[in-house]
């Protein structure tokens, strides 16, 4: 009884059992009565006796509102969903604020030398000349389709398979094997194509987890995951912290700890979301680590999503190992492994919006195929890409040149930062470096980091991504994307940072 | 009953326990017999009281297992069957958690890893005849020469009548449109990240095209446009923006079968049918709307809006200006949204005037905030493969949210460039709209005449790619079963894929949607011939 009755005092007190039971009983009646009352006006629109007045009421308001339209409408604004309410607010993450600021006032050497230099967007502009050349030579033929001389544009105007045409899937399979060094072969029938990697990740999230479930995500992670994985799916992301002392490598013990803590909270974990190569750090997961992760996933019976969108943007000589390769080579349960890929980074075509889910799980594939109705790729774009990707000579040349140019830019940029006393984490891939600017921050904490970020954005006019936007546990780290720059811009960037650093040193000293 | 109503004015609580209690009791207490029987008031109060305790006890026990954070789930539970299964789903983790903690490895080895509960329905759920028919027709498509015994596709709302014009334009202009903006080569314009909700130039072009299609009666503001990869995601995004999971939309039936996926699948929103009948020519009646609204409310569902199709799909009729005003009043009175799907606005073929919802809105009318228009280029420009949809709204919050959600469904930049050029070619667009209307009208007339000869009547339609035909004379039993039987015969014997009314949730059996715009004129006699064969066997059986 002590546990049960809300009116404990009454029960244990003088009233005794009968009194204590009568009171809650009465309360219960009143509750029912109250509910009944509240429901009556609209529920009893048909039976005549009591509802006559209610019906009149309904009739009245309608007719009256028809005559004085404005007065009533203006009182109550129409509600929107709670999702829309929360996301329609202005951005609060520095990642998005910085992107907006840089696109409003973009730096240009000649036209706008005082503009903001964009180092926050992971976009690769180093090889546009190659793509442009290809387009000039081949666009016309590729749009016309394969039939010699004959126009076949009806092939692109009409409804296409929503999950991508078979031709593009085959071309993508070839490209991915090429990108991953020929170590793995990809099966076109296990692919689902989407309008960008963003919807690919969201679709997978819908397929693998229910509202209120969670994914483990090693930090620092790409700030966009907070939107892609959480917004519409209602899924939670549980950070698994990686630290500078391990060069931001994931450890199974951290994973285990996060898993257990989350379970203790009662949240069900449905999977791990990996980025390999990691964004923002740029390091790779080793084959052993991938095996350990697969064992972990098997033990806990959870999924693994491996985001390998930077697989082809490797500039060091370290070998990239796809999880598809590991799954193939050993006897793992493939049905829990899902790969996300896209052409935005490795072919530098983010504007084309091409992403991919590659899965070994038939159910996930079936569901994802149906969900692509909400996010399919435009047919002309698919046709264009089939031509680009099947041009083996072009792809070969592009990959080699791209790798060389990224490495070159990386070396220059990292050397520039080192000249300012800023160290970068070891990295082998990606379009960015992960820089330790903790020496420049005034207070060691997220606040100090954001203060520096703001100074960089507004005073030095450089947009970079602060570690806190990536949920990095250690303050003072920043992601700098260098592939949107020209070589000539690097000294400008360094000069701007140096100036800011000098004023800081002066004010400290 | 009346006493109960009056007792509202008499507040003393003792009244209710004694005098009013009898009347109220009759309505309220489940154990009516006990109360009114020998037990009287005391026994009648002790028993429910005991039940109340037991209930509390039960709840208490259960809460111990499933931790506090499940509170949010249980509070959102609705009495409807659908959402209660949702509730079960969210409670399941609690159970599995307790087991798996103790004996995790043996359990894991047994079952393969599962997909989420919300998509397992999508994977397993049987497809409606609409999708089954589409798939069958795709696997074995009719071709005059290479596959004369294949299935003729009359189930897909796709317009191939004016494709020659579009093809011609593309052949002449595609390269120029994608690569060169003016004379300058601009690869960075198509390769780099673009605004997810569409390039401004393209929005301007689309807004211009929309008012051209609606015969300049309305002008659309490009800044109120959000572009998506097709009208399908446009509808889903609006659904996400206007309603929470468990809320509902009123949708007049018969409706486009895809809504069951677009509005419901990922959003968890429900659809309340508002039946329209043949007696009203399938026009929406406000009484039906009112009734559906009240019934939904009685079920405890919160109605957040009405989803209209104008011109309607599958019937093809238009909503009159007067009805639109009444709908606006209704929405105002109930304080709900109106989503008007005007995807077929440019594909009208009768003499009737098409009125856009946008036309009714006063520039300073506060009510504009509740009106949202869905449009797309799939139908009116005959390019569904390009995947271009439009959300047009006056509600700033909805626009802001939709712009952010467009990250999941944006239009490819080369396509945007291509279409910007196409739509700004005013002469081409005008020719296309005019010729397309002429061709539609002529095909419609021929097709309806063909059906009439077979004794099949169609509802008079003024827009769209289809006619809505009454084949109830051919079905063996006047029910959904009889209708599906006929559909099956048409598909497998006559080899014609049409959409049965039940797939569109039509309340009257025997209606079918025939899309005639994928045909050429010389296919019509073949279709009629095939239908006739089935109709004769049906008549014989009767």
């Amino acid at each position: 009884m002590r546990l049960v009755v809300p009116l404990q005092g009454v029960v244990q007190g003088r009233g005794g059992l009968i009194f204590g039971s009568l009171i809650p009983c009465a309360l219960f009646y009143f509750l029912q009565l109250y509910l009944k009352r509240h429901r009556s006006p609209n529920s009893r629109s048909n039976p005549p006796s009591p509802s006559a007045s209610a019906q009149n009421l309904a009739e009245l308001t309608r007719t009256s509102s028809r005559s004085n339209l404005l007065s009533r409408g203006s009182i109550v604004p129409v509600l929107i969903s709670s999702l829309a309410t929360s996301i329609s607010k202005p951005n609060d993450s520095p990642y998005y604020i910085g992107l907006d600021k840089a696109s409003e006032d973009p730096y240009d050497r000649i036209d706008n030398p005082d503009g903001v230099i964009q180092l926050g967007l992971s976009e690769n502009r180093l090889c546009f000349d190659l793509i442009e050349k290809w387009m000039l030579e081949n666009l016309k033929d590729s749009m016309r389709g394969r039939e010699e001389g004959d126009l076949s544009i009806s092939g692109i105007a009409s409804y296409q398979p929503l999950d991508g045409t078979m031709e593009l899937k085959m071309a993508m399979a070839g490209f991915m094997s090429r990108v991953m060094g020929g170590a793995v072969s990809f099966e076109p029938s296990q692919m689902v194509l989407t309008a960008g990697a963003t919807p690919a990740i969201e679709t997978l999230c819908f397929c693998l987890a229910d509202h209120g479930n969670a994914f483990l995500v090693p930090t620092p992670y790409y700030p966009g995951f907070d939107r892609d994985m959480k917004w519409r799916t209602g899924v939670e992301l549980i950070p698994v912290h990686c630290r500078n002392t391990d060069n931001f490598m994931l450890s199974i013990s951290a994973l285990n700890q996060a898993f257990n803590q989350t379970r203790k909270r009662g949240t069900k974990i449905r999977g791990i979301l990996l980025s390999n190569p990691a964004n923002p750090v740029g390091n790779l997961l080793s084959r052993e680590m991938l095996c350990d992760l697969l064992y972990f996933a098997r033990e806990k019976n959870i999924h693994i999503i491996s985001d390998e969108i930077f697989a082809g943007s490797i500039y060091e000589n370290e070998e990239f190992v796809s999880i598809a390769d590991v799954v193939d080579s050993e006897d793992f349960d493939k049905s829990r492994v899902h790969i996300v890929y896209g052409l935005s980074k490795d072919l530098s075509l983010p504007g084309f919006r091409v992403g991919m889910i590659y899965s070994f799980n038939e159910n996930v594939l079936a569901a994802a195929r149906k969900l692509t109705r909400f996010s399919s790729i435009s047919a002309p774009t698919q046709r264009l890409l089939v031509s680009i990707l099947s041009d083996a000579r072009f792809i070969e040349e592009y990959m080699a040149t791209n790798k060389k140019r990224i490495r070159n830019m990386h070396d220059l940029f990292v050397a520039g930062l080192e000249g300012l006393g800023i160290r970068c984490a070891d990295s082998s891939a990606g379009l960015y470096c992960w820089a330790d600017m903790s020496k420049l921050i005034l207070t060691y904490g997220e606040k100090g980091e954001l203060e520096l970020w703001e100074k960089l954005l507004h005073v030095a006019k450089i947009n970079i991504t602060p570690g806190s936007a990536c949920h990095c546990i250690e303050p003072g780290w920043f992601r700098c994307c260098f592939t949107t720059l020209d070589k000539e811009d690097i000294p400008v960037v360094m000069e701007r940072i140096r100036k800011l650093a000098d004023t800081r040193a002066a004010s400290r000293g | 009953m009346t006493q109960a109503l009056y007792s509202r004015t008499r507040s003393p609580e003792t009244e209710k326990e004694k005098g009013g209690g009898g009347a109220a009791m009759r309505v309220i207490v489940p154990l009516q017999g006990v109360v009114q029987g020998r037990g009287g008031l005391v026994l009648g109060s002790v028993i429910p009281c005991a039940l109340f305790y037991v209930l509390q006890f039960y709840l208490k026990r259960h809460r111990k297992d499933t931790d506090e954070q499940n509170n949010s789930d249980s509070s959102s539970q609705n009495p409807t069957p659908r959402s209660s299964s949702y509730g079960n789903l969210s409670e399941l983790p609690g159970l599995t958690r307790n087991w798996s903690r103790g004996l995790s490895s043996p359990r894991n080895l047994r079952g393969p890893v599962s997909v989420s509960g919300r998509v397992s329905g999508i994977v397993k759920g049987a497809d409606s005849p609409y999708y089954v028919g589409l798939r069958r027709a795709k696997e074995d498509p009719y071709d005059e020469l290479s596959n004369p015994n294949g299935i003729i596709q009359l189930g897909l709302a796709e317009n191939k009548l004016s494709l020659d014009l579009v093809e011609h334009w593309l052949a002449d202009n595609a390269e120029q449109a994608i690569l060169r903006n003016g004379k300058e080569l601009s690869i960075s314009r198509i390769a780099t990240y673009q605004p997810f909700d569409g390039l401004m130039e393209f929005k301007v072009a689309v807004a211009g095209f929309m008012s051209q299609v609606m015969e300049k009666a309305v002008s659309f503001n490009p800044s109120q446009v959000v572009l998506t990869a097709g009208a399908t995601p446009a509808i889903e995004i609006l659904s996400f923006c206007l309603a929470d999971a468990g809320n509902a939309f009123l949708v007049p039936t018969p409706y486009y079968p895809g809504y069951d996926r677009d509005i419901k699948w990922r959003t968890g929103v429900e659809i309340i049918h508002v039946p329209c009948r043949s007696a009203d020519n399938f026009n929406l009646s406000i009484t039906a709307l009112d009734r559906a609204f009240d019934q939904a409310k009685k079920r405890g569902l919160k109605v957040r809006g009405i989803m209209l199709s104008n011109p309607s799909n599958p019937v093809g009729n238009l909503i009159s200006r007067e009805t639109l005003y009444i709908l606006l009043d209704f929405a105002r009175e109930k304080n709900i949204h109106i989503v008007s799907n005007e995807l077929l606005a440019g594909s009208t073929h009768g003499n009737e005037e098409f009125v856009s919802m946008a036309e009714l809105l006063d520039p300073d009318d506060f009510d504009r905030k509740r009106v949202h228009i869905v449009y797309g280029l799939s139908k009116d420009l005959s390019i569904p493969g390009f995947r271009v949809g439009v959300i047009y709204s006056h509600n700033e919050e909805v626009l802001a949210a939709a712009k952010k959600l467009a990250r999941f469904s944006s239009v490819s930049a080369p396509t945007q460039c291509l279409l910007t050029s196409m739509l700004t070619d005013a002469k081409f667009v005008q020719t296309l709209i005019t010729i397309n209307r002429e061709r539609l009208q002529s095909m419609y007339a021929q097709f309806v005449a063909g059906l009439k000869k077979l004794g099949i009547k169609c509802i008079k339609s003024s827009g769209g790619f289809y006619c809505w035909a009454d084949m109830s004379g051919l079905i063996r039993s006047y029910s959904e079963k009889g209708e599906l039987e006929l559909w099956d015969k048409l598909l497998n014997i006559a080899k014609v894929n049409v959409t049965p009314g039940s797939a569109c949730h039509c309340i009257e059996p025997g209606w079918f949607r025939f899309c005639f715009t994928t045909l050429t004129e010389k296919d019509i006699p073949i279709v009629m011939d095939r239908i006739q064969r089935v109709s004769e066997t049906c008549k014989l059986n009767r």
Side-chain angles (χ1 to χ4, degrees):
Chain A
M1 207 63 86
R2 191 175 300 177
L3 294 175
V4 179
V5 187
L7 294 165
Q8 226 181 61
V10 178
V11 178
Q12 294 179 311
R14 284 159 300 169
L17 191 69
I18 294 172
F19 195 45
S21 78
L22 270 178
I23 287 177
C25 174
L27 283 173
F28 182 57
Y29 276 170
F30 293 148
L31 178 73
Q32 277 201 324
L33 206 44
Y34 176 74
L35 289 176
K36 190 83 196 171
R37 273 287 172 71
H38 263 238
R39 209 171 295 158
S40 63
N42 44 37
S43 69
R44 283 193 236 142
S45 49
N46 291 336
S49 50
S51 57
S53 67
Q55 215 167 32
N56 284 344
L57 250 162
E59 210 97 89
L60 262 172
T61 38
R62 175 145 26 99
T63 41
S64 75
S65 77
R66 218 174 269 176
S67 50
N68 47 18
L69 312 165
L70 291 172
S71 58
R72 219 175 149 257
S74 55
I75 300 167
V76 202
V78 62
L79 287 172
I80 59 173
S81 70
S82 44
L83 170 77
T85 313
S86 70
I87 67 177
S88 62
K89 289 184 190 124
N91 294 321
D92 52 359
S93 156
Y95 173 66
Y96 291 102
I97 296 171
L99 287 181
D100 288 348
K101 172 93 180 147
S103 69
E104 278 161 25
D105 177 24
Y107 167 81
D108 189 287
R109 224 168 315 154
I110 297 146
D111 296 339
N112 189 15
D114 290 327
V116 177
I117 299 182
Q118 177 66 287
L119 299 169
L121 189 65
S122 83
E123 184 172 76
N124 181 357
R125 302 189 175 201
L126 301 177
C127 289
F128 274 177
D129 55 329
L130 299 182
I131 293 173
E132 195 169 277
K133 195 168 137 245
W134 187 92
M135 293 265 191
L136 276 176
E137 286 164 9
N138 302 293
L139 185 72
K140 198 155 199 171
D141 293 337
S142 73
M143 290 302 287
R144 280 176 186 235
R146 295 235 175 107
E147 286 95 321
E148 285 337 297
D150 203 22
L151 275 183
S152 65
I153 282 175
S154 58
I156 57 175
S158 55
Y159 277 107
Q160 306 290 326
L162 292 167
D163 60 321
T165 58
M166 204 38 167
E167 291 92 334
L168 182 55
K169 286 184 184 175
M170 279 158 62
M172 288 285 282
F175 179 69
M176 282 170 78
S177 301
R178 165 69 191 79
V179 154
M180 299 180 187
V184 217
S185 71
F186 291 89
E187 188 56 54
S189 64
Q190 285 168 229
M191 283 180 187
V192 173
L193 301 181
T194 56
T198 295
I201 290 170
E202 195 202 31
T203 303
L204 267 180
C205 201
F206 268 113
C207 291
L208 305 181
D210 285 304
H211 201 279
N213 294 165
F215 272 90
L216 298 173
V217 193
T219 67
Y221 63 76
Y222 161 59
F225 283 160
D226 286 327
R227 298 185 164 191
D228 304 345
M229 298 284 287
K230 287 156 74 175
W231 265 1
R232 298 203 289 191
T233 60
V235 165
E236 272 185 72
L237 296 186
I238 308 293
V240 181
H241 295 297
C242 303
R243 287 160 196 281
N244 178 25
T245 46
D246 310 324
N247 197 33
F248 294 100
M249 286 305 226
L250 178 61
S251 76
I252 292 290
S253 62
L255 209 57
N256 233 326
Q257 197 183 345
F259 185 88
N260 290 332
Q261 273 174 1
T262 313
R263 266 240 299 242
K264 229 176 263 170
R265 277 172 44 210
T267 304
K268 184 160 188 174
I269 292 170
R270 298 303 298 258
I272 313 171
L273 173 64
L274 304 171
S275 313
N276 183 29
N279 177 2
V281 180
N283 49 12
L284 307 180
L285 292 172
S286 67
R287 190 177 287 271
E288 296 75 55
M289 188 64 206
L290 286 170
C291 283
D292 288 347
L293 284 165
L294 282 164
Y295 286 126
F296 179 83
R298 183 166 70 188
E299 186 200 320
K300 309 293 186 191
N301 196 25
I302 56 177
H303 294 272
I304 293 186
I305 300 177
S306 177
D307 176 358
E308 303 186 352
I309 195 159
F310 289 101
S313 305
I314 294 175
Y315 46 80
E316 291 300 327
N317 286 323
E318 207 179 328
E319 181 208 21
F320 169 76
V321 185
S322 166
I323 199 160
D325 189 7
V326 180
V327 163
D328 261 342
S329 59
E330 275 179 65
D331 183 30
F332 285 109
D333 173 16
K334 291 183 176 188
S335 67
R336 64 178 85 252
V337 174
H338 319 278
I339 295 170
V340 171
Y341 190 64
L343 297 180
S344 303
K345 312 295 178 188
D346 289 351
L347 207 57
S348 3
L349 294 174
F352 280 46
R353 312 303 306 135
V354 178
M356 178 203 286
I357 296 169
Y358 187 83
S359 172
F360 298 94
N361 187 315
E362 277 309 316
N363 287 332
V364 169
L365 284 172
R369 263 183 215 123
K370 289 193 176 174
L371 293 179
T372 50
R373 66 191 279 111
F374 303 116
S375 184
S376 38
I377 311 169
S378 188
T381 302
Q382 295 199 44
R383 176 166 288 181
L384 193 56
L385 285 169
V386 171
S387 315
I388 299 181
L389 295 175
S390 9
D391 187 340
R393 230 188 52 214
F394 168 75
I395 293 296
E396 209 58 43
E397 184 199 344
Y398 176 88
M399 298 291 299
T401 317
N402 189 36
K403 184 172 179 171
K404 221 185 303 164
R405 290 186 185 170
I406 299 180
R407 185 199 316 217
N408 208 340
M409 278 301 275
H410 172 260
D411 292 350
L412 283 172
F413 198 88
V414 170
L417 286 177
E418 252 161 28
L420 302 174
I422 297 168
R423 189 187 70 86
C424 291
D426 291 338
S427 69
S428 356
L431 311 173
Y432 31 71
C433 57
W434 184 238
D436 179 6
M437 302 199 185
S438 54
K439 280 186 201 134
L440 296 180
I441 63 179
L442 299 178
T443 52
Y444 188 75
E446 192 182 317
K447 212 179 128 197
E449 180 184 290
L450 288 178
E451 192 262 344
L452 175 61
W453 167 76
E454 239 184 84
K455 282 271 153 47
L456 282 164
L457 184 63
H458 296 286
V459 180
K461 302 247 179 176
I462 289 176
N463 175 44
I464 56 179
T465 310
S468 56
C470 305
H471 303 269
C472 183
I473 199 171
E474 296 176 22
W477 291 85
F478 288 83
R479 185 185 80 163
C480 312
C481 294
F482 46 76
T483 47
T484 47
L485 296 177
D486 284 336
K487 263 184 208 159
E488 298 92 284
D489 294 332
I490 293 184
V492 183
V493 172
M494 296 308 155
E495 183 54 28
R496 289 185 178 191
I497 300 177
R498 196 189 52 78
K499 254 194 224 159
L500 187 78
D502 285 352
T503 56
R504 297 233 137 180
S507 71
R508 235 190 249 178
Chain B
M1 297 284 262
T2 43
Q3 275 174 15
L5 192 81
Y6 288 138
S7 66
R8 190 189 300 179
T9 50
R10 291 187 265 158
S11 50
E13 283 133 47
T14 47
E15 277 293 332
K16 276 175 208 158
E17 282 219 355
K18 288 180 182 171
M25 205 78 73
R26 189 174 307 173
V27 183
I28 295 161
V29 185
L31 293 167
Q32 230 182 56
V34 178
V35 177
Q36 294 179 311
R38 285 160 301 169
L41 192 69
V42 177
L43 188 51
S45 77
V46 169
I47 288 177
C49 174
L51 283 172
F52 183 56
Y53 276 171
V54 172
L55 178 75
Q56 276 202 324
F57 227 128
Y58 179 76
L59 289 176
K60 189 86 193 170
R61 273 284 169 76
H62 263 238
R63 202 167 302 157
K64 236 187 224 168
D65 293 343
T66 58
D67 293 338
E68 306 102 276
Q69 84 285 328
N70 276 355
N71 282 351
S72 55
D73 290 345
S74 54
S75 67
S76 65
Q77 273 185 11
N78 277 319
T80 58
R82 193 155 175 279
S83 48
S84 73
S85 71
Y86 255 69
N88 288 342
L89 268 174
S90 53
E91 238 154 68
L92 218 65
L95 269 172
T96 36
R97 176 159 29 93
N98 284 347
W99 291 350
S100 60
R101 211 177 271 176
L103 42 154
S104 53
S105 46
R107 227 190 125 244
N108 293 338
L109 292 178
R110 242 184 288 153
V113 65
S114 61
V115 298
S116 69
R118 58 183 155 202
V119 299
S120 63
I122 295 177
V123 178
K124 284 180 208 140
D127 280 338
S128 87
Y130 172 68
Y131 292 102
V132 174
L134 287 180
R135 201 169 51 233
R136 289 282 312 279
K138 208 174 139 196
E139 284 162 5
D140 178 22
Y142 168 80
D143 188 282
E144 200 188 341
L145 301 172
S146 55
N147 191 14
N149 289 320
I151 296 174
I152 299 182
Q153 177 66 286
L154 300 169
L156 192 63
E158 184 172 49
N159 181 2
K160 294 195 171 171
L161 300 179
S162 309
L163 216 51
D164 55 329
L165 301 179
V166 178
E167 273 179 17
H168 202 77
W169 189 93
L170 285 174
D172 290 346
N173 302 292
E175 189 202 16
Q176 200 72 9
I178 293 181
L179 271 190
R180 290 160 205 267
N181 184 16
K183 278 199 175 145
E184 210 178 318
L185 203 65
S186 54
I187 187 73
S188 61
R189 212 168 54 113
I190 59 170
T192 57
Y193 276 106
Q194 304 297 332
F196 287 126
D197 57 318
L199 295 164
M200 200 47 182
E201 302 107 273
F202 187 39
K203 287 185 183 179
V204 172
V206 168
F209 179 70
M210 283 169 77
S211 45
Q212 201 171 349
V213 150
M214 299 178 189
E215 319 217 291
K216 307 245 159 69
V218 215
S219 79
F220 292 91
N221 181 352
S223 65
Q224 288 165 231
V225 168
V226 174
L227 297 170
T228 57
T232 296
I235 291 168
E236 195 201 30
I237 287 176
L238 272 179
S239 213
F240 267 115
C241 288
L242 305 181
D244 290 314
N247 293 165
F249 273 101
L250 299 174
V251 188
T253 65
Y255 61 73
Y256 161 59
Y259 279 167
D260 287 327
R261 299 185 164 190
D262 304 345
I263 300 177
K264 287 156 71 173
W265 263 2
R266 297 202 291 192
T267 60
V269 169
E270 294 207 36
I271 290 181
I272 307 290
H273 299 170
V274 183
C276 302
R277 290 162 194 280
S278 57
D280 309 324
N281 261 339
F282 292 101
N283 282 316
L284 178 59
S285 85
I286 210 78
T287 25
L289 204 61
D290 229 346
R291 195 175 308 133
F293 184 89
D294 288 342
Q295 274 169 0
K297 235 176 140 176
K298 215 187 276 176
R299 275 172 59 199
L301 283 176
K302 196 163 189 181
V303 174
R304 299 302 293 263
I306 313 171
M307 177 79 71
L308 304 172
S309 308
N310 184 25
S312 92
N313 178 357
V315 181
N317 49 9
L318 308 181
I319 303 181
S320 69
R321 190 180 291 267
E322 202 199 351
T323 312
L324 287 175
Y325 273 117
I326 295 173
L327 285 166
L328 208 52
D329 279 350
F330 179 82
R332 180 180 299 128
E333 183 203 322
K334 309 291 188 192
N335 198 23
I336 57 178
H337 293 271
I338 293 186
V339 178
S340 177
N341 179 348
E342 303 184 355
L343 198 55
L344 291 158
S347 304
T348 49
H349 50 71
N351 300 321
E352 222 178 312
E353 180 206 27
F354 168 78
V355 185
S356 167
M357 201 59 164
E359 221 175 295
L360 306 192
L361 301 172
D362 234 294
D364 11 79
D365 192 345
F366 184 80
D367 268 340
R368 298 190 308 162
K369 279 194 185 314
R370 66 176 87 250
V371 174
H372 319 277
I373 290 168
V374 171
Y375 188 66
L377 301 181
S378 305
K379 310 289 180 189
D380 288 350
L381 217 53
S382 337
I383 46 166
F386 281 51
R387 313 301 305 135
V388 180
V390 177
I391 295 171
Y392 186 81
S393 171
H394 294 277
N395 189 318
E396 256 135 56
E397 276 174 295
V398 170
L399 281 174
K403 274 178 191 163
K404 288 194 182 167
L405 292 179
R407 70 191 272 113
F408 300 115
S409 187
S410 33
V411 187
S412 186
T415 301
Q416 295 194 49
C417 292
L418 191 59
L419 290 174
T420 307
S421 309
M422 188 191 282
L423 295 179
T424 41
D425 185 342
K427 217 180 83 198
F428 165 75
V429 169
Q430 198 48 55
T431 321
L432 179 73
I433 294 176
T434 321
I435 294 186
N436 187 41
R437 283 207 167 116
E438 280 166 22
R439 291 182 183 173
L440 260 178
Q441 188 153 22
S442 132
M443 273 302 268
Y444 172 72
Q446 288 178 53
F447 200 86
V448 170
L451 286 177
K452 206 175 171 188
K453 245 185 244 165
L454 303 179
I456 299 167
K457 266 187 238 148
C458 298
I459 290 283
K460 183 184 170 292
S461 93
S462 317
F465 305 152
Y466 27 71
C467 52
W468 184 239
D470 179 7
M471 298 175 86
S472 56
L474 300 178
I475 61 180
R476 209 181 311 169
S477 66
Y478 187 75
S479 65
E480 190 180 321
K481 205 181 138 209
E483 179 185 292
L484 289 178
E485 218 176 76
L486 177 60
W487 169 76
D488 198 67
K489 271 191 206 151
L490 284 167
L491 184 64
N492 292 310
I493 301 170
K495 302 251 179 171
V496 171
N497 176 42
V498 295
T499 310
S502 57
C504 306
H505 303 278
C506 183
I507 198 169
E508 297 175 21
W511 291 85
F512 287 83
R513 186 184 80 162
F514 291 79
C515 293
F516 50 79
T517 46
T518 48
L519 301 176
T520 57
E521 286 184 11
K522 59 179 194 284
D523 294 332
I524 294 184
I526 303 170
V527 172
M528 296 308 156
D529 192 53
R530 290 186 176 193
I531 297 174
Q532 190 179 18
R533 262 185 282 156
V534 167
S535 76
E536 270 161 13
T537 58
C538 287
K539 279 174 191 157
L540 278 180
N541 285 343
R542 282 191 140 198

